[in-house]
Structure formats: C-alpha cells, structure tokens
Amino acid sequence: MTRRKPMEGCCLGIESTADDFSVGIATFNGEILANIISAYMPPEGGIHPREAARHHAENASKVLEEAFKKAGIKPKDLSVIAFSQGPGLGPCLRTGATVARALASYLGVQLVGVNHCVAHIEIGKLKNDAEDPVTLYVSGGNTMVAAFDAGRYRVFGETLDIALGNCLDVFAREAGLRQKPGEPFGAIVEKLARNGRRLIPLPYTVKGMDMSFSGLLTASINMLKKGDLKLEDLCYSLQETAFSMVVEVTERALAHTEKKEVLLTGGVAANRRLQEMVRSIAEEHDARFCTVPKEFAVDNGAMIAWAGVLAFTHGVTTPIDESFVKLRWRLEEVEVPWVK
Ligand code: ATP
Ligand code: FE2
C-alpha cells in the first residue's frame, strides 16, 4: 500500500440514507481519494429500511477498510468525519451516524452532519467545475429542481408524491421485468423504450412548479394489464411523459433564474434520453449542460466527504449531542456559507 499524506487535510464521508452504504475520502482541495459503494439488494420488492440498515451495519467495517486502502491513508490522517444526517430512512441514517460518531470520537476529530441533497449538488459542481447551476436531482427517492439564492439552495419544484425513479421501478416490477445483478430497473425501461415507436397519451401532471407521478404510474400499469399494447411503446411513452414533466420545470427554473449551467444528477441521470432532453433545453438558454459519472450521481460517500470539506473549512461542524438524524431535513433549511 502506498501511503501518502494529504497536504492540507482530508475528510471521510459516510453515506447511508437508503439502500447504499458508502464511504468516500476527499482532500481539502477537492481530490477524491476513494469512493467505495456497497449496495443492498432486497431479495424482492422494494427496500425494507431495517433490512437495509442491517446490511449497512454488517458491511461498514469492510467498506471503511477498503476506502482507507484505496486512498492510501491511515485513519489518523483524517481531519474530519462527515455523514449524511438526512433526509432518508431512519434505521439506515442512524447506522451511518453511529459509525461516524464512533470514528470521530475515537480519532478526536470534529463531526459534520451533511444534508444529502446539498451533497449531490456539491459533488456535481466539483466534477464539472460548475459555479452556480440549476440542478435537476432525480433518483429512486427524490425528484427536485433546485438552485442557489440568498445563502441557501432553494427548491424550485419537486414531486408531490413518488419520485421519478420509483415510478420507473414500480412500473418495471409490475411488468415482470427481470434484473441482472447490479442492473437498475430504470436502465431496463430505457433499453425497451429505445424500441418504442408509438406515443400513448398518459397523464402529465405539473402543478405550478411541482410534479406528480402517481397518476402516470397507475395509468401506465392499467394499460399494461390490459395487455393490448406493446411493452416497448409503453416504456417509451412513460419515459417521454415523465421526462417532459421534469424538463418543463427545469426549463422554467432556468428561464426564471437566468443561470448559465444546468446540472443533471441522481440515479436517473444515467438515462441517455433524459440527458438529451436536458441538454437541449440548456442549449436553448445558452447554459452549459453538466452531468456526473454514475459513481458520483448515485448515492455515494465521496459527495458526503466533499460537502463535509466545504462545511468544515467554513466553520460548520456538528457537536455530537446535535448529531441526531433528520429524516425530513429539507434542502432549503441548510445554510451554505461556502457558496457566494
Ligand atoms: P436517493 O436516496 O437519492 O433517492 P436512490 O436510493 O434511489 O437515491 P440512486 O442510485 O441515486 O439511489 O437512484 C436509483 C434510481 O435510478 C432507481 O430508480 C433506478 O431505476 C434509476 N436508474 C438507474 N439507471 C437508470 C437509467 N438508465 N434510466 C432511468 N433510471 C435509472
Ligand atoms: Fe441521493
């Protein structure tokens, strides 16, 4: 193992909001030294928070060890420990927080509780050298359009019910699609959609700047069950409808804020069709289209480590007795003094 001492300091970040347990290590100058992700795969159906939390507890030491090995540093080289404090599933968040508290007190370093959504935005900015994007964050548990204004990231629009990724996943499960190990349902829908030709009218629900996907999901499942439509056409229509909704809201946020960058992130950002649609509205508004490699778009420890660096170097830390997890911690509640 080559050992290198980070010049200024470095932060270890723990991510455990949902079905992934991940540890990342970032230096104070934005180098990502490690990003190890261990995904919990439910035997069938959706994720069960307590089963996922058990996976996190069982894998924590192995993932930590791998991260140190990959980074080529020792625990005592760390300057600060960050963890995802919310929003997310209670049992999962608590497992990550417990590991973080134990590490911080053992090493005698400060702790930083990071907002998961802030972290997605910050790693996207880091990886794209972006300064001030409108962000579209779409995953299995989140769907939001956000941008910085007056000290905080503001939510311009969000889902009123289920997340876009969840809509795709439930549809795929109802259609009886089978996953290969590590293959997300969204990617299977994407593949089928490529061979779809016919656009079937489906419920399109944007209310103000907010979106709703549950009616779209129900209608898609009902059409599926009727059995007289091609699955490829349904996948295509579901994608076109759902993506048009998020893109409409993103475009309005872009027009309103006149920002010059659009960042697409979250697990669903891997979708080529969605990338193409977001790229095209970015171009229409003379904004730069940015997205991130999958490793940094899905839930990952590196984004928590990097957000931890930003917070810590701007004087934000979390005393142990204030490090309780916040299941519904909203993005706009967080002050981000490092953004000007
Ligand atoms: P979060 O906790 O942020 O809500 P998550 O636990 O849902 O995240 P992610 O890995 O960020 O985890 O996102 C997973 C989602 O991304 C799933 O709904 C999955 O189907 C979807 N997804 C992955 N690849 C694609 C793709 N190519 N097209 C569409 N959706 C995709
Ligand atoms: Fe996430």
Side-chain angles (χ1 to χ4, degrees):
M1 184 170 91
T2 51
R3 175 114 191 267
R4 64 176 190 225
K5 220 174 159 71
M7 298 294 286
E8 297 173 62
C10 64
C11 175
L12 178 141
I14 297 174
E15 159 59 35
S16 73
T17 51
D19 48 352
D20 292 332
F21 183 84
S22 175
V23 173
I25 299 176
T27 66
F28 282 11
N29 49 18
E31 207 188 329
I32 304 299
L33 303 181
N35 190 27
I36 311 293
I37 304 174
S38 167
Y40 165 68
M41 287 282 170
E44 59 183 54
I47 57 168
H48 190 294
R50 251 172 296 129
E51 287 304 313
R54 190 216 301 257
H55 159 273
H56 299 350
E58 284 171 0
N59 288 277
S61 64
K62 194 181 77 194
V63 176
L64 278 166
E65 210 175 294
E66 253 183 79
F68 284 118
K69 196 167 160 203
K70 180 82 207 291
I73 65 160
K74 295 265 185 235
K76 64 175 170 50
D77 297 326
L78 295 171
S79 334
V80 53
I81 305 288
F83 70 104
S84 52
Q85 197 173 3
L89 307 171
C92 301
L93 284 169
R94 280 189 281 273
T95 305
T98 305
V99 176
R101 284 184 207 110
L103 255 179
S105 54
Y106 174 72
L107 295 170
V109 298
Q110 299 267 20
L111 192 62
V112 180
V114 166
N115 178 288
H116 179 87
C117 307
V118 168
H120 271 292
I121 297 174
E122 293 302 348
I123 197 81
K125 285 164 64 183
L126 176 74
K127 289 288 161 190
N128 285 284
D129 250 328
E131 273 183 14
D132 186 20
V134 166
T135 300
L136 171 59
Y137 163 34
V138 272
S139 63
N142 288 280
T143 299
M144 66 169 71
V145 175
F148 179 80
D149 183 46
R152 293 165 193 230
Y153 289 111
R154 311 283 166 174
V155 178
F156 279 77
E158 64 194 317
T159 179
L160 297 168
D161 42 52
I162 57 171
L164 172 53
N166 187 236
C167 176
L168 299 172
D169 294 348
V170 175
F171 177 80
R173 232 181 275 133
E174 289 285 329
L177 300 175
R178 293 253 161 251
Q179 293 172 289
K180 291 190 209 107
E183 186 184 31
F185 275 129
I188 308 178
V189 173
E190 176 177 19
K191 234 185 269 165
L192 287 165
R194 263 188 230 133
N195 295 317
R197 295 286 170 268
R198 194 175 139 212
L199 188 64
I200 301 152
L202 289 168
Y204 179 102
T205 321
V206 175
K207 295 179 184 173
M209 288 289 274
D210 293 328
M211 299 148 271
S212 159
F213 298 95
S214 66
L216 170 62
L217 174 61
T218 309
S220 308
I221 293 172
N222 288 343
M223 290 202 176
L224 178 76
K225 297 215 160 131
K226 278 207 307 205
D228 53 356
L229 293 166
K230 277 181 66 185
L231 181 59
E232 288 83 352
D233 288 339
L234 261 177
C235 289
Y236 169 67
S237 307
L238 172 60
Q239 271 199 182
E240 290 301 303
T241 309
F243 294 174
S244 302
M245 285 161 54
V246 293
V247 168
E248 179 193 327
V249 175
T250 309
E251 179 169 25
R252 268 197 276 149
L254 194 58
H256 174 77
T257 59
E258 299 183 342
K259 297 206 188 264
K260 290 292 156 221
E261 294 154 336
V262 183
L263 168 66
L264 172 62
T265 190
V268 187
N271 190 291
R272 292 299 169 92
R273 176 61 184 143
L274 180 60
Q275 290 178 10
E276 183 183 295
M277 289 167 80
V278 177
R279 183 189 295 277
S280 103
I281 55 136
E283 280 167 6
E284 272 169 41
H285 289 264
D286 290 323
R288 180 162 69 97
F289 171 70
C290 307
T291 189
V292 266
K294 200 171 157 198
E295 176 194 2
F296 300 110
V298 301
D299 291 350
N300 67 91
M303 70 180 190
I304 304 299
W306 176 236
V309 168
L310 293 170
F312 181 72
T313 54
H314 289 78
V316 182
T317 57
T318 308
I320 298 258
D321 60 0
E322 287 170 27
S323 66
F324 50 84
V325 298
K326 305 179 194 178
L327 277 54
R328 301 193 179 279
W329 195 14
R330 287 187 58 84
L331 177 66
E332 64 265 60
E333 289 171 34
V334 186
E335 282 181 24
V336 288
W338 55 89
V339 189
K340 294 283 172 268

